[in-house]
Amino acid sequence: MQDDHHHHHHHNPAPQFRDLPAVPTDGSPLLIDVWRGNLIESRHAVHGAVVDSHGGVAAAWGDFEAPIYGRSAIKPLLALLLVESGAADRYQLTDREIALSCASHSGEPGHVDAVKAWLGKGGMTVGDLECGPQAPSHEPALRAMYEAHEGATRERNNCSGKHAGFLTAAKHLGFPTKGYVQIEHPLQQRLLGILEQMSGFSLAGVPRGVDGCGIPTLAFPIGHHAFAMAQLADPHHLPDARAAACRRIAHAMTTEPWYVAGTNRYCTKVMEVTGAKAAIKTGAEGVYMGALPQHGLGICLKVADGAGRAAEVAMGAVLRHLGVIDEADEAKLQAVLEPAVRNWAGIVTGRIAPGTEARF
Amino acid sequence: MQDDHHHHHHHNPAPQFRDLPAVPTDGSPLLIDVWRGNLIESRHAVHGAVVDSHGGVAAAWGDFEAPIYGRSAIKPLLALLLVESGAADRYQLTDREIALSCASHSGEPGHVDAVKAWLGKGGMTVGDLECGPQAPSHEPALRAMYEAHEGATRERNNCSGKHAGFLTAAKHLGFPTKGYVQIEHPLQQRLLGILEQMSGFSLAGVPRGVDGCGIPTLAFPIGHHAFAMAQLADPHHLPDARAAACRRIAHAMTTEPWYVAGTNRYCTKVMEVTGAKAAIKTGAEGVYMGALPQHGLGICLKVADGAGRAAEVAMGAVLRHLGVIDEADEAKLQAVLEPAVRNWAGIVTGRIAPGTEARF
């Protein structure tokens, strides 16, 4: 990648960054502080990069060449095959289903019912899903599940939409639907090829792990993850079918943000405000990525210690820095940009905010 | 405190440290790594100190002079007033109730029932508890609560035993029972005096916050928290009533470890194996403390980013380093000393372990 802070390409204006005191411009990590009373109680360091679709690094924090697992934050990239293969059209998938294929949903009834309906439309069942059983993260849904004397199930798994997408693509492409989570399966091999093109990084021999839902997860640099998201945001270099799939995925995520996460979730709340400006996606262990179609930029953030609370606040700081969240948006998003910490009685005891002061 | 790595005092032998490669002896922070496949996915830095009852620093990691909130890890110190005032004897409290007064329990029926019985014995009700309502952290207890169409309550709050202890002490001392969580209340003022003596640190003007359960939490250095735990472990310098209370609290915690935490909890599992050797207590935001009566040492650890998973693994490394967990204990505790990371299907995808390699 070029280290080019002022790169102009043919149809995106040069980004106009807002100078926020808590967003370092000297290459040091972003710091996210957890305040209680008048003391920083805990501190997170965040590594990240903002990259354009030509590979120019528009901004970076910390060690942005460090290899990371993209975890669920790359789901929008993994959904490309579903769309570009024609499977999405063949099964007449709506924006909601495309958004679900990119989702880490909260297991609310609306998510679970939509996944089951989608599987039914494709002649598949929840028994075909190869993700493990999971209970909803949304408390009212969890409560309702227990009150109904039910338990964790595969369709409630936060990744069930991605798995429905995998099954649909496998079926359309004539692959076996069994074993689709294994790296040897042709579906996973195709996905690796897509990831290599999108990221511009060879995945031969990189560190590999198994994700929470059973699929392979491969490690490559933060900056290349950001480049992949930049290409998703601005796919004009890509082959037509892939470019169209990028646009459709970004459109689906930003049009149906509840299906990407759920009630009171950060991805959903931010996309409800930023609209077509930002398709953002959280991942486990403090990963957050975003594609900014109007800016032609991609974002990848990784909290060194894996804390999701810091990834959210860091993403907010970066979106403000880039002007994606403007001052009008800020007022609407204050509760998630610098969230309050509350105790069991609901009293505010502190807040989480980008940091500037010394600690540890 | 004296920086004295080889202090000998009159009845505890000099600690014999085991030289573990992942426990630095150069003053750098302890590192705790989260592995997935063959890559360190996330990393935690831990600051801490091991101090003896004369104030000698036996071991230290990172910035052990940093002020921290002790959070729930100081509950054993806050229980001193209950015991030394004579309230515990007057209400015939058993080791289980003393252990509960030091607990962050999981809200299992055995915990909740014991708190309610204790309150009844003292002529108090759950309505007198000033902690906020909380649901059990133990999944089967949570499930049973919802299946019974019940919700979060004060007696289920993980701190309800501490609050029962506060109420009992306030009643015995003739203080009003209402408002006992406020810093102006005479109970909290007495507790601050106890904390000052135990820690050897003046709390005038230190940073202050409100804890999860509504009581004040005051910040003072890690090393002084460790010293307070050292005095709890080896109270021979303290006035007789306070020394006796220290011994009774350490005895109760190590004799009834299930009442300090709960099923499958780290505090409980470790104390079930180490017995009288270690009274350990977790706190929110990555705090862990321990009193080692047979060694005359106190431990305080603080994960910079607040992650409890790292505090547990760090405490295990320190207890091994100090020889409190010996090789026979290690075999029994392997599952908590270096815990596996599992996905939703139950497959092991990684582990958490003390770190040595470069990352970030």
Side-chain angles (χ1 to χ4, degrees), chain B residues 82-257:
Chain B
L82 173 69
V83 179
E84 71 183 29
S85 68
D89 284 339
R90 174 164 163 191
Y91 291 97
Q92 298 179 290
L93 300 190
T94 65
D95 282 342
R96 291 185 176 181
E97 286 152 338
I98 304 291
L100 271 172
S101 75
C102 304
S104 298
H105 64 68
S106 302
E108 298 176 69
H111 300 122
V112 175
D113 293 346
V115 168
K116 287 197 285 192
W118 173 2
L119 290 170
K121 197 158 66 171
M124 300 169 292
T125 72
V126 296
D128 295 318
L129 297 172
E130 296 186 358
C131 50
Q134 187 185 0
S137 60
H138 186 59
E139 196 274 344
L142 180 74
R143 176 178 198 130
M145 181 189 83
Y146 284 138
E147 286 181 351
H149 296 272
E150 295 178 8
T153 56
R154 295 179 185 189
E155 69 273 21
R156 289 182 171 112
N157 187 301
N158 78 85
C159 300
S160 65
K162 178 184 70 181
H163 283 254
F166 285 168
L167 280 168
T168 303
K171 198 160 175 174
H172 177 70
L173 291 166
F175 297 157
T177 52
K178 214 171 164 61
Y180 69 85
V181 298
Q182 303 300 326
I183 195 157
E184 301 79 13
H185 190 282
L187 183 91
Q188 293 300 334
Q189 290 297 315
R190 280 285 280 276
L191 292 171
L192 291 184
I194 292 174
L195 276 183
E196 286 192 324
Q197 190 207 9
M198 295 298 285
S199 67
F201 197 83
S202 168
L203 298 178
V206 300
R208 197 213 307 177
V210 175
D211 211 328
C213 69
I215 69 163
T217 182
L218 283 84
F220 58 91
I222 290 170
H224 283 272
H225 278 97
F227 178 60
M229 299 308 283
Q231 294 215 77
L232 186 73
D234 175 14
H236 74 279
H237 284 131
L238 299 176
D240 287 351
R242 184 156 297 170
C246 288
R247 293 190 181 98
R248 183 157 181 204
I249 287 165
H251 175 78
M253 289 175 69
T254 56
T255 307
E256 295 288 356

Side-chain angles (χ1 to χ4, degrees), chain A residues 34 36-44 47 63 66-69 71 130-135 139 142-143 145-147 149-152 157-158 206-215 217 219 222 284-287 302-307 309 342-345 347-349 359-360, chain B residues 34 36-44 47 63 66-69 71 130-135 139 142-143 145-147 149-152 157-158 206-215 217 219 222 284-287 302-307 309 342-345 347-349 359-360:
Chain A
V34 182
R36 178 173 299 269
N38 52 345
L39 179 74
I40 296 168
E41 184 168 26
S42 299
R43 165 166 278 181
H44 304 275
H47 304 266
D63 183 4
I68 64 159
Y69 295 124
R71 306 297 302 273
E130 296 185 358
C131 49
Q134 186 185 0
E139 196 276 345
L142 181 73
R143 176 177 199 130
M145 180 190 81
Y146 283 137
E147 286 181 351
H149 296 273
E150 296 178 7
N157 188 301
N158 79 85
V206 300
R208 198 215 306 178
V210 175
D211 211 328
C213 70
I215 70 162
T217 182
I222 289 170
E285 292 293 332
V287 178
K302 161 69 181 169
V303 184
D305 61 70
R309 66 182 182 183
R342 290 173 191 274
N343 72 7
W344 295 111
I347 305 296
V348 174
T349 56
R359 172 67 170 157
F360 289 120
Chain B
V34 181
R36 178 172 300 268
N38 52 347
L39 179 74
I40 296 169
E41 183 168 27
S42 299
R43 164 165 279 181
H44 304 276
H47 304 266
D63 183 6
I68 65 160
Y69 295 124
R71 307 296 304 271
E130 296 186 358
C131 50
Q134 187 185 0
E139 196 274 344
L142 180 74
R143 176 178 198 130
M145 181 189 83
Y146 284 138
E147 286 181 351
H149 296 272
E150 295 178 8
N157 187 301
N158 78 85
V206 300
R208 197 213 307 177
V210 175
D211 211 328
C213 69
I215 69 163
T217 182
I222 290 170
E285 291 294 332
V287 178
K302 162 68 182 169
V303 184
D305 60 69
R309 66 183 182 184
R342 291 173 190 276
N343 72 8
W344 297 110
I347 305 296
V348 174
T349 56
R359 171 69 169 156
F360 290 120

Side-chain angles (χ1 to χ4, degrees), chain A:
Chain A
M1 280 180 298
Q2 312 158 53
D3 190 346
D4 179 353
H5 287 252
H6 304 284
H7 188 90
H8 294 252
H9 65 79
H10 69 289
H11 67 200
N12 293 109
Q16 298 299 316
F17 295 158
R18 292 170 66 196
D19 202 11
L20 301 176
V23 178
T25 52
D26 62 355
S28 60
L30 268 164
L31 300 176
I32 303 297
D33 289 337
V34 182
W35 288 83
R36 178 173 299 269
N38 52 345
L39 179 74
I40 296 168
E41 184 168 26
S42 299
R43 165 166 278 181
H44 304 275
V46 188
H47 304 266
V50 180
V51 172
D52 69 30
S53 62
H54 297 256
V57 177
W61 301 276
D63 183 4
F64 69 93
E65 295 186 359
I68 64 159
Y69 295 124
R71 306 297 302 273
S72 287
I74 64 164
K75 281 173 177 169
L77 302 171
L78 300 179
L80 284 168
L81 183 59
L82 173 69
V83 179
E84 73 183 28
S85 68
D89 284 339
R90 173 162 162 195
Y91 291 98
Q92 297 178 293
L93 301 189
T94 64
D95 282 341
R96 291 185 175 183
E97 286 152 338
I98 304 291
L100 271 172
S101 75
C102 304
S104 299
H105 64 69
S106 303
E108 298 176 68
H111 301 122
V112 175
D113 292 348
V115 168
K116 287 197 286 192
W118 173 3
L119 290 170
K121 196 156 68 171
M124 301 169 291
T125 72
V126 296
D128 295 318
L129 298 172
E130 296 185 358
C131 49
Q134 186 185 0
S137 60
H138 185 60
E139 196 276 345
L142 181 73
R143 176 177 199 130
M145 180 190 81
Y146 283 137
E147 286 181 351
H149 296 273
E150 296 178 7
T153 56
R154 295 177 185 190
E155 69 273 22
R156 290 184 170 111
N157 188 301
N158 79 85
C159 300
S160 66
K162 178 183 69 182
H163 284 254
F166 286 167
L167 280 167
T168 303
K171 198 161 175 172
H172 177 72
L173 291 164
F175 298 155
T177 52
K178 214 171 163 60
Y180 68 85
V181 298
Q182 303 300 325
I183 195 157
E184 302 79 13
H185 190 282
L187 182 91
Q188 294 300 332
Q189 290 296 314
R190 280 286 279 276
L191 292 172
L192 291 184
I194 292 174
L195 276 183
E196 285 191 324
Q197 190 207 10
M198 294 297 285
S199 67
F201 197 83
S202 168
L203 298 178
V206 300
R208 198 215 306 178
V210 175
D211 211 328
C213 70
I215 70 162
T217 182
L218 283 85
F220 58 90
I222 289 170
H224 283 272
H225 278 96
F227 178 61
M229 298 309 285
Q231 294 216 79
L232 186 73
D234 174 15
H236 75 278
H237 285 130
L238 298 176
D240 288 350
R242 185 156 295 172
C246 289
R247 293 189 181 100
R248 180 154 183 208
I249 287 166
H251 175 79
M253 289 175 70
T254 56
T255 307
E256 296 287 357
W258 187 83
Y259 287 89
V260 176
T263 305
N264 284 327
R265 291 276 304 280
Y266 186 93
C267 285
T268 299
K269 284 183 154 184
V270 170
M271 289 193 289
E272 280 173 354
V273 169
T274 54
K277 289 187 283 185
I280 63 170
K281 183 67 192 70
T282 189
E285 292 293 332
V287 178
Y288 229 116
M289 299 194 201
L292 312 178
Q294 295 177 12
H295 293 66
L297 295 172
I299 304 168
C300 175
L301 303 174
K302 161 69 181 169
V303 184
D305 61 70
R309 66 182 182 183
E312 293 181 355
V313 174
M315 178 56 90
V318 169
L319 291 176
R320 289 172 65 197
H321 177 61
L322 299 176
V324 175
I325 291 177
D326 60 25
E327 283 176 37
D329 296 339
E330 262 174 37
K332 294 178 204 155
L333 290 169
Q334 198 52 45
V336 298
L337 293 175
E338 295 197 3
V341 176
R342 290 173 191 274
N343 72 7
W344 295 111
I347 305 296
V348 174
T349 56
R351 67 184 195 283
I352 309 177
T356 51
E357 297 182 35
R359 172 67 170 157
F360 289 120

